[in-house]
Amino acid sequence: HNKGDYASEKTIEIINEIFKEKKGFINAFFAAQWIQRVIKIANSRIYNMQDKNPDYKGMGTTLALVLLYKNKMITVNCGDSRIYWVKNNELVQLTEDQTYVNFLLRSGQITEDEVTTHPDRHILTNAIGLFPSISIDLKIHNYNGEKIIICSDGVYNNVKKKDILNVLNTKLSVEDKAQSLISLGNYNGGSDNMSLVIWEAIND
């Protein structure tokens, strides 16, 4: 979307500022409620920036967020960035793409093979800043130290799931794993911007 890089930077900045002021949570349920409020604030601020500057018209960004609280993992998705974790040595997708082609897929109008080549595959049905209100896909999972990766479509469209899993299972540092995935994505065509975050719990 227009000014997507700026919208992404500001969204992270807004969430970080509010998070730093938060002293703690009573439990995972209240943490989830807090996340929903924060994302609504971020969406409102990004959306309102469009009214102040016509150059920002249509500005928006995807958001994939993870909050770990004790033995719970809260995931949030707005758009087509994805959250995966490694469970039973499989790369499991925890989010559902909020895109026009995913709607077509779920309604049986196209096949999985057609998703990656469909001309409208980049059309989002949800994102931060696009509309005055925001639809938030939020889930709470039990967390037991699983590896987590958050990535943009530039990563998962250019690197196969089995290759992502293989890289995550190496003994490289998380920084080197991230760089390896970006290099692999570029080698495979680098058809879009690639952003990713890898989380690994340290077992003492």
Side-chain angles (χ1 to χ4, degrees):
H1 280 268
N2 182 38
K3 301 288 186 183
D5 54 345
Y6 179 75
S8 175
E9 180 183 341
K10 294 303 292 184
T11 298
I12 293 171
E13 184 181 300
I14 292 164
I15 293 173
N16 277 343
E17 285 178 0
I18 301 174
F19 182 74
K20 287 176 182 176
E21 296 174 357
K22 186 66 179 172
K23 302 300 182 185
F25 303 104
I26 298 173
N27 55 40
F29 175 75
F30 282 99
Q33 285 190 319
W34 176 85
I35 288 175
Q36 289 182 311
R37 287 196 300 271
V38 171
I39 292 174
K40 287 178 181 178
I41 291 170
N43 180 76
S44 190
R45 290 185 188 177
I46 298 299
Y47 180 80
N48 289 337
M49 287 179 188
Q50 302 180 48
D51 294 333
K52 299 176 182 177
N53 190 332
D55 291 339
Y56 291 170
K57 196 69 179 172
M59 180 172 69
T61 180
T62 64
L63 171 69
L65 180 151
V66 171
L67 176 64
L68 297 175
Y69 178 78
K70 296 184 178 179
N71 65 336
K72 298 294 182 182
M73 178 175 74
I74 302 165
T75 61
V76 172
N77 177 50
C78 302
D80 65 348
S81 290
R82 290 180 181 175
I83 301 171
Y84 297 90
W85 68 357
V86 179
K87 194 83 168 174
N88 300 321
N89 203 35
E90 288 186 13
L91 190 68
V92 180
Q93 184 178 336
L94 297 176
T95 53
E96 186 172 302
D97 298 343
Q98 297 173 336
T99 60
Y100 177 60
V101 292
N102 192 47
F103 164 75
L104 295 177
L105 176 65
R106 286 187 289 108
S107 59
Q109 298 180 57
I110 62 173
T111 65
E112 283 195 29
D113 290 337
E114 293 176 293
V115 169
T116 55
T117 57
H118 196 282
D120 295 329
R121 63 187 178 277
H122 295 301
I123 296 178
L124 300 176
T125 55
N126 190 35
I128 299 289
L130 292 188
F131 308 107
S133 60
I134 183 77
S135 173
I136 302 168
D137 180 15
L138 184 149
K139 296 174 183 174
I140 301 177
H141 310 265
N142 291 324
Y143 180 71
N144 296 295
E146 291 86 355
K147 294 176 184 177
I148 302 167
I149 179 168
I150 307 173
C151 61
S152 66
D153 58 343
V155 176
Y156 64 75
N157 281 335
N158 288 288
V159 185
K160 293 179 180 178
K161 281 181 68 174
K162 66 180 180 64
D163 293 329
I164 295 176
L165 179 62
N166 287 338
V167 170
L168 292 179
N169 282 337
T170 65
K171 298 191 181 210
L172 296 171
S173 67
V174 288
E175 293 85 1
D176 287 341
K177 289 178 182 180
Q179 189 55 56
S180 295
L181 289 171
I182 291 172
S183 298
L184 188 56
N186 282 324
Y187 179 79
N188 289 338
S191 60
D192 206 341
N193 294 330
M194 286 178 277
S195 300
L196 64 95
V197 175
I198 297 172
W199 167 268
E200 292 184 0
I202 297 174
N203 298 315
D204 294 330

